[in-house]
Amino acid sequence: MKKVMLIILDGLGDRPHPYLKHLTPLQAAEIPNMDYMASKGILGMQYPIAPGVPPGSDTGHLSLFGYDLERDYPGRGIFEALGEGIELDEGVAFRANFATVSERGEELIVEDRRAGRISGHDAEALASTISGMSLLDGDVEAEFVHTLEHRGFLILRGRQLSSQVTDVDPHEEGYPVLEPLPMVADERAERTARALKEFLARSYVLLRDHEINRRRMNEDKPPANFVLPRGASEPIEIERFGDRWGFKPAAVAAGPMYKGIARALGFEVYQPEGATGLPDSNFRGKIKEALNLLDYFDFVYVHMKGTDVASHRMDPSLKVKVLERIDLALEDLIDPPEDLLVVITGDHATPCTIGKHSGDPVPVMFYGSGLPRDDSTNFHELDASMGGAGWFSGKDMMKLILNYSNRSLEYGLRPLPKRTWYIPRREDLTPLRI
Ligand code: ZN
Ligand code: ZN
């Protein structure tokens, strides 16, 4: 049985770009290490969720980790909150922005969804002004946590709340702030909508008249006089990755959401020095850390965000540079330990031509000793589309990983009370005692 290192290059998949002579960034980049691994390994193409469906980074990851999005997806807020170290047992978490609104009749119009990218002390002070509010006659407590720049979380703590409420954020400037509405006819969703409405009305009064905002207006800066919650999310029971797939897992990641997903699934999370979640991240440090962790864990997930950041900036030459820097870091994997399966793929495509996630397939590479071979010579979309691992759904990624790490259980065998896909570890089994 092999150990596994799964490297996810965020937003890896791409399309031909005129600026790169109609090559994709993977084709245009000088990536001798990835090309060498492709020539010795086996390539394929995967649709992280389904053909044509653009994944979010959270849903793309969950699907690749073998979870059913219809059942196991709590919404993005919980993962982001966990990544920031915020735990929620009972209640609802929303992502939220400080924003600037103006009054037009009885409506509030969103003038700036980021309140001039307010940050630092101003944002911190305003957050504490509206945090700790007690709602619905004391049944619900609102906590507002500021994170980066204009962003934060609104947490409603209490019983009988639900994530089935609509976004208050209209996601467009010049549009009115939206009333939070229950999405299903149930008491919990209605209570949540009422609590949220009370929070919005009371926090608007506190923010509008706050001295920081008066000062900002004197300085011709947009006041942060409203918060726009979106993406309601509530804690759900998700089976731990280790129990689901028979691994002892660790994660090497820097971005809060990725750390949050890993924590929610029961990975031990590590962030080496210099790992930033940006194009300048310490990629080599991440690979070295992952190699060290393999002494204690048998599954290490490594996340690198820089590729996706370059794509969102619609900057194909930056994506090429990021890929080339990542390739240098992969030097340490060229000659991997005999018992290691290396898997490289992305959580979705982010074509630089459109600057957002798409439903395109994503190249994947399996590398290690004793694998089947194909005749690919380079790691890019074209070779991957003709690779020996074929085209498959991201939902099946973990089954292929079990297969290529020689951990798959033959279909039909039943050593455990639940359906398993992996050969159980000694500690999973219940011996007969006589
Ligand atoms: Zn992503
Ligand atoms: Zn993205």
Side-chain angles (χ1 to χ4, degrees):
M1 288 207 261
K2 286 171 182 278
K3 297 183 174 189
V4 177
M5 188 188 299
L6 171 63
I7 303 171
I8 296 194
L9 307 182
D10 207 290
L12 175 67
D14 215 307
R15 297 177 184 174
H17 199 290
Y19 185 84
L20 303 174
K21 301 193 172 109
H22 299 282
L23 299 175
T24 68
L26 265 178
Q27 284 177 308
E30 288 285 332
I31 46 171
N33 292 322
M34 281 190 249
D35 287 343
Y36 176 82
M37 293 160 90
S39 72
K40 302 285 180 197
I42 178 168
L43 303 190
M45 276 291 212
Q46 51 97 359
Y47 284 111
I49 294 177
V53 177
S57 282
D58 52 351
T59 46
H61 271 79
L62 264 193
S63 188
L64 289 179
F65 287 146
Y67 289 84
D68 175 355
L69 297 177
E70 293 297 320
R71 203 190 53 204
D72 298 325
Y73 180 55
R76 183 169 175 144
I78 286 288
F79 294 137
E80 295 208 345
L82 258 180
E84 300 280 357
I86 304 165
E87 303 256 359
L88 181 63
D89 298 329
E90 258 183 332
V92 187
F94 300 82
R95 307 165 76 203
N97 283 3
F98 277 116
T100 307
V101 298
S102 62
E103 293 181 18
R104 191 182 299 166
E106 290 196 330
E107 294 183 354
L108 295 173
I109 305 298
V110 178
E111 303 291 345
D112 182 344
R113 281 187 69 243
R114 301 181 178 85
R117 289 197 179 266
I118 185 173
S119 62
H121 171 263
D122 281 6
E124 212 54 62
L126 291 174
S128 66
T129 303
I130 56 173
S131 197
M133 212 183 278
S134 140
L135 306 169
L136 301 186
D137 299 324
D139 282 358
V140 175
E141 191 182 334
E143 184 185 347
F144 192 85
V145 186
H146 171 242
T147 53
L148 274 183
E149 297 184 301
H150 53 282
R151 299 187 200 93
F153 292 99
L154 171 64
I155 314 278
L156 299 183
R157 288 183 201 276
R159 287 167 181 273
Q160 299 294 318
L161 296 174
S162 155
S163 58
Q164 297 294 313
V165 289
T166 55
D167 289 353
V168 171
D169 183 353
H171 298 278
E172 294 286 344
E173 289 169 0
Y175 278 53
V177 172
L178 304 176
E179 164 145 2
L181 298 171
M183 290 170 71
V184 288
D186 96 1
E187 171 64 18
R188 290 166 61 236
E190 278 157 29
R191 262 169 63 82
T192 311
R194 259 189 292 131
L196 188 54
K197 204 172 159 186
E198 183 184 339
F199 170 80
L200 294 170
R202 287 172 55 190
S203 62
Y204 175 52
V205 173
L206 291 171
L207 292 173
R208 185 187 55 190
D209 302 331
H210 200 283
E211 58 183 305
I212 287 179
N213 278 328
R214 277 201 231 117
R215 196 202 72 225
R216 284 178 70 84
M217 291 203 287
N218 284 338
E219 292 168 354
D220 263 345
K221 289 181 185 160
N225 56 8
F226 206 76
V227 289
L228 289 174
R230 64 196 143 101
S233 169
E234 64 186 299
I236 58 170
E237 279 294 319
I238 310 179
E239 189 183 9
R240 294 167 77 83
F241 182 86
D243 296 335
R244 195 170 180 88
W245 300 110
F247 285 109
K248 188 176 175 210
V252 181
M257 196 188 67
Y258 306 93
K259 293 193 285 188
I261 291 177
R263 283 196 188 118
L265 302 182
F267 287 67
E268 291 283 333
V269 179
Y270 296 83
Q271 180 173 354
E273 215 155 293
T276 57
L278 292 168
D280 68 352
S281 189
N282 176 8
F283 299 129
R284 178 152 254 167
K286 282 185 164 172
I287 297 294
K288 283 200 190 307
E289 178 87 347
L291 280 167
N292 290 336
L293 288 170
L294 285 167
D295 287 343
Y296 309 97
F297 299 90
D298 50 21
F299 187 100
V300 180
Y301 146 62
V302 185
H303 180 254
M304 302 199 184
K305 182 70 180 166
T307 33
D308 189 56
V309 174
S311 286
H312 284 293
R313 290 186 195 164
M314 300 177 80
D315 185 344
S317 49
L318 178 61
K319 193 164 184 182
V320 165
K321 269 191 216 118
V322 171
L323 286 168
E324 291 177 346
R325 284 195 50 234
I326 290 173
D327 193 69
L328 285 176
L330 295 178
E331 201 164 39
D332 296 327
L333 292 180
I334 280 296
D335 192 14
E338 182 74 9
D339 67 342
L340 181 64
L341 171 70
V342 178
V343 185
I344 304 179
T345 190
D347 54 344
H348 49 79
T350 316
C352 290
T353 44
I354 59 172
K356 57 182 185 175
H357 302 183
S358 75
D360 299 2
V362 184
V364 49
M365 162 156 67
F366 299 93
Y367 177 66
S369 60
L371 293 184
R373 296 278 292 271
D374 58 20
D375 58 6
S376 342
T377 52
N378 295 87
F379 187 49
H380 54 53
E381 291 80 357
L382 205 61
D383 272 19
S385 74
M386 296 178 285
W391 289 59
F392 58 93
S393 164
K395 289 195 280 282
D396 293 325
M397 174 65 96
M398 286 308 303
K399 289 169 198 156
L400 282 164
I401 286 179
L402 290 178
N403 179 52
Y404 290 137
S405 59
N406 306 329
R407 290 167 176 269
S408 299
L409 183 70
E410 190 176 314
Y411 195 96
L413 301 187
R414 297 187 300 181
L416 296 177
K418 63 166 189 168
R419 175 78 181 93
T420 50
W421 300 95
Y422 61 90
I423 299 169
R425 300 161 295 191
R426 178 76 171 74
E427 66 263 31
D428 298 328
L429 299 167
T430 313
L432 170 69
R433 295 186 198 281
I434 47 174

